[in-house]
Amino acid sequence: MEYVSAIAEIESLESILLVSHLPLVGYLTAEFVGDISAPMFPTSGLVCIEYDVQRRQGEVLWHIHP
């Protein structure tokens, strides 16, 4: 999380796409959001997180289960 936050700050990025496999994707989601346990993802599942780099806090905007 610190690496992604640093890149976003240094490069002034508006968005970042992370691609991952289970179980890491669930752990990453929980790390960026902070107040949830690691969610399970089905094959090809997606989540969108609005992340505030200054506060180091995210919010799940949507979670797609194909």
Side-chain angles (χ1 to χ4, degrees):
M1 181 172 80
E2 292 301 317
Y3 176 77
V4 174
S5 295
I7 293 292
E9 277 187 287
I10 291 169
E11 299 293 332
S12 299
L13 299 176
E14 296 270 333
S15 62
I16 296 174
L17 173 66
L18 298 177
V19 179
S20 182
H21 270 276
L22 286 172
L24 181 60
V25 67
Y27 296 132
L28 286 172
T29 299
E31 227 9 77
F32 280 105
V33 175
D35 62 352
I36 63 171
S37 56
M40 289 303 297
F41 283 80
T43 300
S44 301
L46 299 171
V47 67
C48 179
I49 299 171
E50 181 76 34
Y51 186 72
D52 184 323
V53 176
Q54 304 302 322
R55 294 183 321 135
R56 299 285 202 258
Q57 180 64 39
E59 174 186 358
V60 174
L61 298 182
W62 47 260
H63 191 181
I64 297 175
H65 301 278

